Each structure stands twice: as structure tokens, then as C-alpha cells.
Amino acid sequence: METEMDTVYIGKPVNRVDGIKKVTGAATYSGEFKPEGLVHGYVVSSSIANGKITAIDTSKAKNLKGVLEVFTHENLPEALKSNVDYSDPLAPPGKPFRPLYNDTILYNGQPIALVVAESFEIARHASDLVEVTYQVDECSTDIKKNKAKATRDNVEAPPDDRGDAEKAYKSADFKLDVEYSQPRHFHNPMEPHVSIAIWDKDEEAFTIYDKVQGVNSSQTYICGIFSLEKEKVRILSPFVGGGFGSGLRPQYQLFLAALAAKSLNRPVKVALTRRQMFSFGHRPACFQQMKLGANKNGKLASIQHTAFGETSKFEYYNEDVVNWSGLMYHCENVKLDYQLIPVNMHTPLDMRAPGGTTGMFALECGMDELAIEADIDPLEFRLINYADKDQNEDKPFSSKELKKCYQKAAESFGWDKRNSKPRSQKKGNTLIGYGMATGCWEAFQQKSAAKAVLTDDGFLTVSSSTADIGTGTYTVMTQIAATTMGISMHQVSFELGDTSMPEAPMEGGSWTVSSVGSAVKVVCIQLQEQLFDLAKKVHPEIFKNLAHKDVTFNDGKISNKSGESVSFSEVLKEAKKEKLETENTLEPEEEQEKHSCYTHSCVMVEVHVDEDLGMITVPRVTSAIAGGKIINPKTAENQILGAIAWGIGMALEEEGMIDDHNGRIMNANLAEYHMAVHADVQNLEVFFVEEHDDIVNPLGAKGLGEIGMVGVASAISNAVYNATGVRVRDLPITLDKVLTY
Amino acid sequence: MNDFKYIRSENLGESIDVLYKENRSKLIAGGTNLMDLMKYRVENPEQIIDITRLSLHDIYRRDDGGLRLGALATNADTAYNSEVEQQYPILAKAILSGASAQLRNAATNGGNLMQRTRCYYFYDTATPCNKREPGSGCSALKGFNRIHAILGTSEHCIATHPSDMCVALSALDATVNVQGTDGERTIPILDFHRLPGDTPEMDTNLKSDEIITSIDLPEKGFHTNYAYVKVRDRPSYAFALVSVAAALDLNGDTINDVRVALGGVAHKPWRKPESEESFKGKPATEENFGKLADHILEGATGFGTNDFKIKLARKTIVRALREAKEL
Ligand SMILES: Cc1cc2nc3c(=O)[nH]c(=O)nc-3n(C[C@H](O)[C@H](O)[C@H](O)COP(=O)(O)OP(=O)(O)OC[C@H]3O[C@@H](n4cnc5c(N)ncnc54)[C@H](O)[C@@H]3O)c2cc1C
Ligand code: SF4
């Protein structure tokens, strides 16, 4: 008997299709292209946070052999000065930052000049020869000191109040009224931001390789600034060495590379240094007041959550910090408030689970504190207050298997072995603590387009302008296309990261699989239909009176019920068609609008704290995730493992240290900006619980890039309390904060 | 980074000559510290002298039973040298608790002695710093000083020496052999690094024309009762907030000899031989360890965010001595 090849790849732990390319160096990242005549730009950054440039002397730099030009606000082309459209699709309210626009300094580390030279080394050396004189005005970057300036202007209002939270709080049996805070976090992908811009003078058109999480936004940005039509700006970004949100908005190196390339008519590469990677977009500093009340039966009586987030003086960066508190648990009396505090910093930017990690940190620590207050097991407390519907929006969930997550995590972790009394578990000098938290993240679907081309050799090429920021987009889309089409993965190529392809949203918000993946599935079904129509024409004897639903597509063949089949390639060849091509744009369906779509998780951790020395380690983390259909368990687990490591860093280490005297970041390097290293990451255990969802999108998959991080910092903080009896509400939980002597 | 000349030196005399004659020359060994400092424009040498071809790589036993560590032997080769592992495990442990495997493969022993502070402000030319630019002020006094010194500070500088290796070397009473235009001399490790005083720009007592050729370890290696405890913000790839090298020579429960050296608390590895002296002949008890710690830490003062280091240092000393005793 002939064995049929199984072309069902969805749900299987398939290896990355670009894995070999990546480990052999064959994957070309944006900064690695070498167009002929390439020259190099090096950015000069401001050393003050607020004031004006009174003089900028570039003569020494320009005199250096090999230097082509030094761009500053003094020689910015008139056309760009009169243009005000520097916005990008993700720009928050306010005025976007315009590099080299004028002499005003808005934040420390602001780009104030670009030196372009024949080599990187010459450009870097020349950058040191640019002499800048400033008028220094007072600056302040500390959000707590600036609380009086908090504003609700340009803030997306959180969900309306329900009930009377203050009244319910007053009469509650158990109460909590505390403040949590966290510092700035920086994305720090391994690959620094880089752009290579090539200007075609005859065509008046740009080709730009850009490190970005979505090429279309860079295109919009460049078109706006240089007043060009979309056809004249092609952005490519085939591989991205990590993003975490840092590539969600076009950054200044893109503008500078384009400016220089056009002015000099030479291809220009501008790469940021590691220090400069700390000079744009970060997770904002935030402090939050959490006021909770519960009654004797353990039911939440009142939730009041107020958050103060950081923003710049020129844009109002918003994120959903407090909304989670109205969503996670059943409660009739809720009051949510979110305000912004502008300081002399660059504008914050979405960073892995923006808002969610922050707000859920406060909520999940608060829940732990209140459970302890009420003498109820923290897991039991969450079950008592389980929300069966979204009370913020008054909608049912498309699916919510959070109870399964609680159960799976508790079972595997051994939650029942937790002793609720702090400092009760000890081995030698080591205090042992258990902690848990719930995680939650949005399951978005965005409008996305994809194109499928089947050639007469039976090869399928699917494309969409999306990105692969290390998440496995290439692999997962290939799996979806191959499975849907019924064809071997080796016969499929997925292409991305090019504005000439059908438009996809930015890769962010964990929506790529659900949005682009759904578009890929639907375009492949469309292709099948067209192919089937053709098959009926060339092989009426096999497919007579049959409809699309009556035949199967497997192993590169269309078969009828009695097993007679014809290969894709034969169909095309016999129909004398070289290729079949189709495109589709998919938008979320109405049914989805009627529901709330979220991913959920339960995180349990064990921490060890050295009683005398304060050092904290996390020997064990269990994370159980309800994320809908899992397309590839391998890349999925990968996302969660990485996100847990991020959570450990957030809980114990990460802090952008901005000196309030000068608004400068003092630890702008990977040695002093501590994030989790291998030694921090020990036994991580990930489970995906069964979750069926027909509503969320045609794939039933929810996206997993961010959920793994939400709740980790709270679980660790709660475990540290269980170990030590010390409640640290101010991240990161460094060892000095848990010392009790 | 400034424009600089690069010389690869083939012999020691020649290197010393260039150092002597050409101002603003810098030796480069592993380059793991100097290159960073040059990129940040903290160091701006006009020329760098690559000494990695000099024959200073060997580690060998001396006639007096001690061990000689070549200045150009890497930190990794030193830590994994079998004689070091057996006779001076405290040194191996200290070295391996520092930096990362990749860095230790490149870093040399001479460079480790000469590495500069990790004070954030020292690395950032946009901020005042007396060590980098004498007279400009000390930003750390009112800034981020959680990692800074609690002992031997001055109003001019509160930076620490970041090395782990040097802490163990101090506990072992190592000596540093150097050679300059005036010939060779040997500097006891405790006199090698300086306190900041009013010249924080000077980290060590090495003269500008001198090269470190080797480090000598005396025979006594305390391999039976030793500990190196490093307290830091993450379990690897982080400098010490406080580190302690403790070594005991015990006769039953009585202290014959004791050594305690601290890292992360001062401008140099901190040791107080007179405190140690007064505990010789006393019982090795938890109580005496505490008293010794108090002795050593006498006069310790914090600058706000590093106040915690004072009590932490005491706990760390006691822990290290206990570990050394119980080994
Ligand atoms: C990210 C990072 C983390 C680190 N973490 C730690 C840590 O946890 N613990 C720790 O102890 N260290 C740590 N280090 C420091 C590391 O140990 C030093 O950088 C290294 O030892 C320096 O040796 P090198 O040979 O590379 O010196 P180089 O960089 O080549 O030189 C450093 C200095 O020494 C001088 N020099 C070199 N050789 C000689 C010689 N023979 N005679 C006279 N002068 C000489 C040079 O002129 C220069 O001024 C870390 C370093 C980095 C970059
Ligand atoms: S502590 Fe020393 S190194 Fe740091 S800023 Fe002050 S003077 Fe400079």
C-alpha cells in the first residue's frame, strides 16, 4: 500500500524553518546588507536633558579625512523644516519627536548630529570632535517628585466606575491600601537598531533595510517626512534580532539614514550603540495605589486601582494598566484611575505585555496580601472571586480555561505543600517560599492580508509584510500554509518583511499568529477553491458533481472519496497555467466583537532567600497557559520560557537608573543594566491546557508572545514574602530590600 | 574613541622604554577593560603597547614552595591551574566568581590588578568625576552610590576596586613583581592599590614606567579552611556588592592564623592584619567571628543607598569564616 505523507503540521513541534540559516549566519539581518558605496553614520547624542544647543561646531569633524558630512539642526533641508508630518501609526497623542529639527533638547541622549564617513571608525572618531555648547535648563525625571503634575489629559479613560467602591471599601471586613512601584525597563534586544537607506536619484525612491517590527509603519513614517508616495518607499526587514516592542515605532536612526542617503546620494548605514539603545522607548516608570476590600466569605467587595505612569514632555504615552483590575475578578464595586506624569525623558514605548505586566503586578500582589489578611489560601481566594464574564465590557469570554490552568499548575508544582506562615520553610541559611499569580493578556486579531502563489512545480509561496522578531513567524506560517493546503512543508516558502507584500500589522500585541496566521489559512483555502475549479475542468472524470468540501487536499494532491487523485502540479500543467495566484485581506468577525478575548495563565514559583545575605534565587517556576490552539508546541514553549526569564529579571533585577540631577541613564550597558542571565533561570515548567475557541479567529489560536511574562514578578514577590515575611512593593526586589537586620 | 597608535612589543625592556619615553602610552593585555574605557573616551591614550607577546604567561612553582603567576596568564588559566586548584583554592574560587567565562578567557592577571572602578559616573564623560577629571567633583556622593565604598573613602571619591581575584590575593599575602626603568621591585599586595585621599585619579602605586611581570603566592595556601563568599545582585556576571575571602589555620577549634579580606567595600581590597592578629589563639566561635568582623568594619560609613553594606559586610564575614571553619 502506498503510504501517504502526513501534511498536518499544526499542533506539531516542528523545528524552525530558518534555524539553519540563523546558526550558520546565512540569515541576513538589516544591518548586514552591503550595497555598493555604503557609508556609515554615527549619531552624536545630547548630554543634557533639558535646554538648548547654543552652538554646535562641526568644523573639526568635517576636516577629518574620510568624513563626508555632519548633519545637525543647522543644515537640515528646508523641505524637512517646513514639514510637520513625523507621525507613525503607533504615535500616541502629542507631537512626535523630530530628530535634528531645531536647537531644543527634550531629553538626555537625544540625537543632535549625525556624522557620515567612509568608515564606521572614522565616523565614530569624528563624532567625538563635534563640539556642542548648551544652555542647560533644570530637569526632572523622577515621577514621584512630579506627582503634582499628574494629568488625565490625552489619557484613554479606563472603564467606568461600577457600584460604589469607596463605600464598599469602608464596610469591608478585610482591607488593603498600599502602593506598588516599578522603575523604567529597557527592551535591549540583542540586535541594536539599524537602518541602511539607499536613495535612487533617478526614480526619486528609497529602498531601506530597517530593524523594525513592521515594515509598513516605517514606510508611512518616511513617506510623511519626505513627502513621497508609497510606491517610492520600499522597506525591507527579513530578519529581526529581537524586538520586544522596541521596534514598534520607527526610530531616529531610520530618519537619519534616509536624510543622509538622500542628501549625499550614497547608501548610508546608521546603527545605534548599546548606550543609544537606552535613548528611546522603554517601559515607563509607574507607581500604583491598590485599595482592596473583601468580606468574611472571601468575596471581593471593592477594588480601587490608581496608576501614575511616566510620559515625556511631548507625547502622552498610554497603556492599559488599571483595566485588568476590573476584569480579572468578580467584583461589583470598582473604581479605576490612570494618570500620566510628564518628565524630561524620551517617550516610553510598548514593551512585552505593556501595561499588563505593570497593572497585574500590583493587582496580583494585592490579591496575595488581601488573601493573607483574610487568612485564605491565595489560590482559593482567586477561585472564590473567579470572573465568568468580563464586567468591564459586560461581555462573555470567547473562551477562558483559567480554572484548568490553576489546577494544572497547582498539581504539578505541589501548591498544597505551601505553608502559609512566612519563614516556616528553611534549609540551612536558606528561607524557602512559594508564591503564585494569575496572568492575563489580550487575544487580539488585526486586519491582515496575505498572498498565495502556487506554481506548476507544485511549490507554494505565501507572503505577507509581517515580521519574525525571533518568535517563529516563518515557521508557524509555513506550518499553517502547508497544513491548510495539504502539502509538504518543504514545498512551501513563507516570505515576510517587505512593503511590496500584502500588508500585515506590526508584530506586537501577540497578534501575529491569530491575525496573519488566519489570513494565511483563509488565503490558502481560497487557493484550494481556485485549484479545485481548475481540477474539475481538466479531470472531470474524477471530480464530476463534487464540491470543494467533498474532496481532500493532502500530500500535494486533490483526491475524491474513492481515492482517485491528481497532483497540484499536474492540474496546473494540464491546464497550461504556470501559476495560480490569490490574495486576501482578513478582518476580525462580528461574532468576535461580541466577546472578550483573552489568554490566561497561572504562575507558581519557589524562591530561595539567603537569610543573612539576602540573595534571592528562583529554583522553580511552573506556568500553565490557556492560549487557545497551540500551532507549534516548540516555538510556543520557547516564547513562554523567554517570557518567564523576563519576569525573573523584572522581579529581581531590571532597573534603568536615571540620575535625577541630569536626567542621564547611568547604567546604559549590558554589564550594569541587570537582566536575568542563565544562572538566574533554573527549572522552568510550561503547560498548555486544552482550550477550544471558535470565536477568537479562524485558527482558534490566541498568541503567546506576552502572556508568559504577566504575573511572574507578582508570583516571585509573593513567594519572597512567604519566604521572609518581608513585603517588597518596590521593584526590583534587590537583596538589600529583604534584609531584616 | 580617539585616534591612537598601536605597537606590538616583542620584549619587556622595549615596552618599558616606550612607556617611559612616550607620555600617554597604555599597555594592553586582554583588553577587556581598556577597550571599553577607550570606547567611552575615559582613557584616551595616544598609543597602546600590546604586551601579549611578552613571555609573562607562565605559572610555575618557585624554590621557596610558593607559586609564581605570570602577569599575562589569563584569569581562566590561573583558576584552572592544578597547583592553584589544590594549593590556593580560595584564589580559584574568587576568580571563577568574577565576570563571565568569555571574559576570564581573555582577561590577564596583570590586567585584573589594574582594572578600574565600575562607578557609573567614572564611565560617563558627561558627568563630573574626580577620578576621571581631577577637581571636577564626585557625582556619586549625591547620586547612585549603592555599589560604592563604606571604608577608606574620602570626600573626593567613594569608588570601589571591583576585582574578585585581588581579594583572594590579599588574603593570601601575595606580592606583585614589577619592572621599570629603575629595575625590578616587589610590592606587597596590600600596598599595591591606594585609598582615594585627594588623588583619586591614582588607583595604584605602580609608577608610570612600570610593568607588572608576575604575582607571587607564598607557600601557605590555606587549602583546608577557606571560603570566598560573593554577595551580588545576580548569581553570575555581576560585580560584588560585598565579597569576603576568609582563610583559617586551625588547631582543633583554636585559631592559629586567620585572614579576612573584603571586596566591594573600598578603593582597594580591604584587610586589617592588626584585627586578625588579636584573634590568634582564640577559639573559632561564631561570637569571635562576629567580634573580628566588628573590628575590621570599624569606622564604616555609608552614603545613603549603600548603608546596607555595613551590616551586610558583617554578616558576610561571619558567613565566610563559618564556611571556612566547616569546610
Ligand atoms: C562585563 C564585565 C564584567 C566583569 N566582572 C568582573 C567581576 O565580577 N569580577 C572581577 O574581578 N572582574 C570583573 N571584570 C573585570 C575583568 O576581570 C578585567 O577587565 C580584566 O581582569 C582585565 O584584564 P585585561 O587583561 O583584559 O586588562 P586590559 O583591559 O588589557 O588592561 C587593563 C589595565 O591594566 C593595564 N595592564 C594590563 N596588563 C598590565 C601589566 N602587565 N602591567 C601593568 N599594567 C597592565 C592596562 O594598561 C590597563 O590600564 C569584568 C569585566 C567586564 C567587562
Ligand atoms: S566615586 Fe570616584 S569614581 Fe565615582 S564619581 Fe566619585 S570620584 Fe568619580
Side-chain angles (χ1 to χ4, degrees):
Chain A
M1 202 184 90
E2 202 185 18
T3 49
E4 278 220 340
M5 190 158 69
D6 181 8
T7 47
V8 177
Y9 300 97
I10 290 182
K12 296 202 178 134
V14 172
N15 285 341
R16 285 174 189 255
V17 296
D18 51 348
I20 300 287
K21 270 192 195 163
K22 282 191 169 171
V23 295
T24 56
T28 313
Y29 289 77
S30 298
E32 297 179 321
F33 289 87
K34 293 189 179 68
E36 209 183 304
L38 182 69
V39 292
H40 301 261
Y42 195 92
V43 179
V44 181
S45 312
S46 81
S47 61
I48 68 160
N50 189 22
K52 280 197 180 330
I53 300 171
T54 49
I56 184 158
D57 183 355
T58 58
S59 54
K60 278 190 197 142
K62 275 190 188 155
N63 283 337
L64 200 70
K65 194 165 167 265
V67 172
L68 301 171
E69 181 59 283
V70 181
F71 295 89
T72 69
H73 68 280
E74 289 180 347
N75 60 8
L76 192 76
E78 249 342 285
L80 297 184
K81 286 234 169 193
S82 54
N83 188 351
V84 287
D85 187 13
Y86 279 64
S87 64
D88 60 274
L90 244 72
K95 291 184 189 151
F97 171 65
R98 291 172 285 181
L100 311 189
Y101 195 72
N102 57 25
D103 58 359
T104 306
I105 301 295
L106 298 164
Y107 59 91
N108 211 321
Q110 175 180 323
I112 52 173
L114 180 80
V115 181
V116 182
E118 295 288 349
S119 79
F120 170 78
E121 288 75 13
I122 296 173
R124 178 172 60 181
H125 178 37
S127 75
D128 284 333
L129 304 178
V130 175
E131 286 166 10
V132 191
T133 328
Y134 300 101
Q135 165 203 313
V136 187
D137 296 334
E138 226 168 87
C139 75
S140 190
T141 53
D142 185 319
I143 57 168
K144 282 193 187 167
K145 280 190 198 157
N146 287 284
K147 189 175 172 187
K149 300 199 183 108
T151 174
R152 292 188 190 84
D153 290 348
N154 290 300
V155 170
E156 208 178 301
D160 292 340
D161 295 355
R162 48 181 196 259
D164 186 337
E166 187 55 27
K167 196 172 143 207
Y169 175 79
K170 284 205 176 104
S171 59
D173 297 317
F174 304 105
K175 294 178 194 187
L176 179 80
D177 184 0
V178 292
E179 186 176 298
Y180 298 93
S181 63
Q182 66 188 55
R184 297 170 177 93
H185 297 152
F186 289 81
H187 307 78
N188 273 309
M190 278 307 285
E191 179 200 27
H193 278 43
V194 57
S195 304
I196 294 176
I198 303 156
W199 174 250
D200 183 332
K201 205 171 169 208
D202 302 332
E203 292 290 324
E204 301 231 305
F206 275 121
T207 302
I208 302 175
Y209 297 95
D210 190 27
K211 187 242 164 90
V212 71
Q213 286 175 240
V215 285
N216 303 88
S217 111
S218 298
Q219 185 189 43
T220 306
Y221 179 71
I222 291 297
C223 288
I225 296 173
F226 292 91
S227 306
L228 292 168
E229 295 300 316
K230 281 195 171 179
E231 300 75 55
K232 298 288 183 185
V233 178
R234 182 175 178 202
I235 312 279
L236 297 124
S237 191
F239 289 95
V240 179
F244 311 117
S246 66
L248 285 175
R249 294 185 68 187
Q251 291 306 335
Y252 60 78
Q253 92 286 345
L254 170 63
F255 166 78
L256 294 174
L259 164 72
K262 188 172 176 212
S263 308
L264 301 171
N265 199 25
R266 295 273 301 263
V268 177
K269 167 171 164 177
V270 181
L272 299 189
T273 62
R274 186 52 68 181
R275 170 169 257 289
Q276 287 161 351
M277 287 302 288
F278 289 80
S279 67
F280 64 88
H282 58 275
R283 190 193 301 287
C286 184
F287 60 94
Q288 315 180 53
Q289 283 147 9
M290 185 61 74
K291 219 167 154 182
L292 301 175
N295 290 330
K296 285 220 173 66
N297 56 7
K299 292 231 189 272
L300 279 166
S302 169
I303 298 175
Q304 296 180 73
H305 185 177
T306 305
F308 296 87
E310 168 203 7
T311 194
S312 66
K313 297 263 186 185
F314 48 96
E315 284 177 310
Y316 295 87
Y317 171 78
N318 276 256
E319 50 183 14
D320 289 345
V321 177
V322 295
N323 305 34
W324 312 94
S325 291
L327 170 82
M328 286 309 302
Y329 300 104
H330 185 89
C331 185
E332 299 299 345
N333 303 293
V334 177
K335 189 175 171 61
L336 306 174
D337 188 13
Y338 175 56
Q339 302 183 39
L340 290 178
I341 301 177
V343 291
N344 299 107
M345 284 287 295
H346 54 255
T347 307
L349 179 57
D350 285 353
M351 178 164 157
R352 209 168 194 174
T357 24
T358 305
M360 288 289 282
F361 165 65
L363 177 65
E364 288 302 296
C365 289
M367 286 295 284
D368 192 72
E369 294 204 50
L370 193 61
I372 290 164
E373 192 64 35
D375 199 18
I376 301 173
D377 178 274
L379 174 55
E380 180 61 28
F381 187 50
R382 285 168 172 88
L383 287 167
I384 294 173
N385 292 292
Y386 198 83
D388 287 310
K389 69 166 189 189
D390 172 358
Q391 283 181 290
N392 277 348
E393 305 256 336
D394 196 21
K395 284 181 187 173
F397 291 107
S398 65
S399 63
K400 179 179 175 182
E401 296 292 0
L402 175 58
K403 277 187 184 157
K404 277 193 202 161
C405 297
Y406 286 141
Q407 197 188 351
K408 182 73 206 170
E411 226 173 70
S412 174
F413 180 84
W415 183 252
D416 54 345
K417 294 190 188 68
R418 170 181 177 271
N419 188 327
S420 61
K421 200 165 154 270
R423 302 183 81 89
S424 55
Q425 277 199 79
K426 202 175 152 185
K427 248 193 208 144
N429 302 305
T430 305
L431 297 166
I432 299 167
Y434 288 2
M436 67 147 312
T438 313
C440 185
W441 186 246
E442 286 136 322
F444 296 106
Q445 187 193 354
Q446 303 275 335
K447 181 178 166 185
S448 297
K451 180 166 126 181
V453 182
L454 184 70
T455 39
D456 63 6
D457 53 1
F459 200 88
L460 173 67
T461 306
V462 182
S463 60
S464 173
S465 77
T466 183
D468 188 335
I469 57 175
T471 42
T473 311
Y474 277 114
T475 310
V476 167
M477 297 308 156
T478 307
Q479 281 177 270
I480 295 170
T483 307
T484 312
M485 203 58 204
I487 184 174
S488 159
M489 274 181 72
H490 301 293
Q491 292 282 97
V492 180
S493 161
F494 183 75
E495 293 171 355
L496 53 72
D498 183 342
T499 47
S500 67
M501 296 171 182
E503 184 165 347
M506 310 291 303
E507 179 162 30
S510 300
W511 59 52
T512 297
V513 171
S514 63
S515 312
V516 181
S518 297
V520 167
K521 179 173 175 176
V522 170
V523 84
C524 286
I525 293 173
Q526 211 167 282
L527 186 68
Q528 275 185 352
E529 283 164 354
Q530 293 183 11
L531 186 66
F532 180 59
D533 286 344
L534 220 51
K536 275 171 88 164
K537 280 192 198 132
V538 291
H539 283 287
E541 76 286 1
I542 304 180
F543 301 117
K544 207 170 128 199
N545 294 331
L546 295 181
H548 180 225
K549 65 170 174 25
D550 303 322
V551 295
T552 53
F553 290 73
N554 195 23
D555 197 14
K557 290 178 290 208
I558 313 178
S559 317
N560 67 13
K561 288 232 168 75
S562 38
E564 290 168 285
S565 67
V566 52
S567 78
F568 297 174
S569 153
E570 278 164 9
V571 173
L572 284 180
K573 280 183 183 148
E574 287 166 27
K576 303 227 166 2
K577 271 189 174 284
E578 271 174 27
K579 62 178 182 181
L580 212 52
E581 185 174 319
T582 179
E583 202 174 316
N584 177 281
T585 302
L586 193 70
E587 285 188 68
E589 286 177 26
E590 229 172 79
E591 194 53 24
Q592 195 189 323
E593 297 290 305
K594 295 185 203 142
H595 290 79
S596 279
C597 304
Y598 289 93
T599 323
H600 295 88
S601 74
C602 171
V603 192
M604 292 186 170
V605 307
E606 176 177 330
V607 303
H608 288 182
V609 184
D610 187 304
E611 189 181 19
D612 300 325
L613 311 180
M615 281 189 288
I616 304 168
T617 51
V618 185
R620 231 153 49 88
V621 181
T622 300
S623 177
I625 311 268
K629 181 152 192 69
I630 305 303
I631 308 290
N632 183 336
K634 202 168 186 172
T635 50
E637 186 186 28
N638 214 268
Q639 282 300 307
I640 306 302
L641 295 175
I644 295 172
W646 268 55
I648 295 173
M650 172 181 173
L652 304 178
E653 292 157 2
E654 291 200 38
E655 176 173 18
M657 295 164 53
I658 316 288
D659 190 323
D660 202 36
H661 300 99
N662 54 14
R664 253 179 112 67
I665 172 147
M666 296 316 302
N667 59 342
N669 58 69
L670 296 184
E672 307 294 351
Y673 180 89
H674 287 174
M675 54 182 107
V677 292
H678 280 116
D680 285 294
V681 179
Q682 302 184 32
N683 301 302
L684 312 186
E685 188 181 40
V686 177
F687 298 103
F688 296 104
V689 304
E690 277 283 327
E691 187 174 67
H692 187 78
D693 196 327
D694 284 332
I695 297 163
V696 65
N697 57 54
L699 277 175
K702 285 181 171 176
L704 299 163
E706 289 154 291
I707 180 66
M709 178 168 185
V710 185
V712 178
S714 339
I716 292 174
S717 166
N718 297 339
V720 166
Y721 173 80
N722 183 240
T724 63
V726 182
R727 182 59 74 171
V728 182
R729 301 192 183 91
D730 180 24
L731 293 181
I733 310 172
T734 49
L735 59 94
D736 45 310
K737 295 180 187 169
V738 297
L739 296 176
T740 45
Y741 42 78
Chain B
M1 200 182 250
N2 64 313
D3 212 4
F4 61 87
K5 218 161 80 185
Y6 170 88
I7 301 172
R8 177 183 287 158
S9 177
E10 305 288 343
N11 86 51
L12 185 59
E14 174 203 75
S15 315
I16 295 170
D17 231 41
V18 183
L19 263 186
Y20 178 69
K21 288 200 193 117
E22 315 256 348
N23 253 338
R24 303 201 43 207
S25 291
K26 267 275 171 202
L27 303 177
I28 186 159
T32 60
N33 193 208
L34 185 64
M35 289 304 293
D36 278 354
L37 290 165
M38 286 172 69
K39 285 184 193 164
Y40 291 132
R41 299 219 69 187
V42 176
E43 303 264 23
N44 300 290
E46 273 163 16
Q47 66 180 358
I48 58 174
I49 309 166
D50 179 350
I51 55 170
T52 52
R53 302 293 164 103
L54 303 185
S55 10
L56 301 171
H57 294 84
D58 290 347
I59 297 176
Y60 59 92
R61 187 163 294 286
R62 291 192 323 270
D63 295 342
D64 64 2
L67 202 67
R68 176 159 291 179
L69 312 173
L72 288 171
T74 66
N75 283 179
D77 285 345
T78 307
Y80 294 120
N81 176 282
S82 61
E83 315 236 18
V84 172
E85 281 177 333
Q86 281 158 34
Q87 198 174 347
Y88 310 99
I90 192 172
L91 178 61
K93 196 170 173 200
I95 292 174
L96 294 179
S97 75
S100 64
Q102 295 90 332
L103 281 160
R104 294 191 299 265
N105 283 339
T108 65
N109 293 335
N112 197 312
L113 282 166
M114 296 298 289
Q115 67 172 298
R116 310 211 63 185
T117 183
R118 305 308 288 204
C119 171
Y120 313 114
Y121 302 94
F122 176 68
Y123 274 81
D124 185 354
T125 53
T127 62
C129 165
N130 287 328
K131 185 183 275 299
R132 182 171 25 79
E133 215 181 311
S136 62
C138 171
S139 300
L141 276 174
K142 288 204 171 69
F144 292 109
N145 55 32
R146 187 172 163 275
I147 62 170
H148 284 68
I150 50 170
L151 286 161
T153 54
S154 78
E155 57 180 316
H156 304 289
C157 179
I158 59 171
T160 62
H161 190 258
S163 169
D164 289 296
M165 180 181 110
C166 293
V167 180
L169 291 179
S170 298
L172 291 169
D173 266 342
T175 49
V176 184
N177 299 316
V178 307
Q179 198 171 324
T181 37
D182 291 340
E184 296 177 38
R185 64 181 180 124
T186 295
I187 312 170
I189 182 80
L190 294 184
D191 298 333
F192 188 82
H193 298 98
R194 297 165 56 95
L195 288 180
D198 55 7
T199 52
E201 67 279 14
M202 291 167 70
D203 294 350
T204 71
N205 287 316
L206 193 74
K207 291 187 199 141
S208 62
D209 66 336
E210 284 178 327
I211 294 182
I212 301 167
T213 53
S214 62
I215 300 165
D216 281 347
L217 301 174
E219 189 177 6
K220 191 164 173 178
F222 295 91
H223 62 277
T224 43
N225 292 94
Y226 72 90
Y228 187 76
V229 178
K230 179 171 178 178
V231 184
R232 49 181 151 178
D233 279 324
R234 63 180 170 190
S236 92
Y237 202 46
F239 290 94
L241 289 164
V242 172
S243 70
V244 174
L248 283 167
D249 175 358
L250 295 172
N251 180 3
D253 253 357
T254 308
I255 299 172
N256 270 345
D257 194 0
V258 55
R259 307 275 176 86
V260 176
L262 280 86
V265 295
H267 201 257
K268 57 187 287 189
W270 193 259
R271 236 190 98 189
K272 244 173 123 180
E274 65 272 24
S275 307
E276 297 164 4
E277 204 56 42
S278 61
F279 283 84
K280 287 185 183 168
K282 292 194 177 156
T285 59
E286 197 82 3
E287 194 193 342
N288 277 331
F289 293 162
K291 282 188 186 157
L292 174 54
D294 290 336
H295 241 270
I296 293 169
L297 294 167
E298 215 178 273
T301 359
F303 295 88
T305 51
N306 70 345
D307 292 351
F308 73 96
K309 277 191 178 185
I310 302 172
K311 285 184 176 165
L312 177 63
R314 187 183 189 280
K315 290 274 187 194
T316 315
I317 294 172
V318 173
R319 168 71 62 83
L321 284 165
R322 189 196 305 151
E323 265 186 32
K325 182 187 161 187
E326 288 167 3
L327 196 71

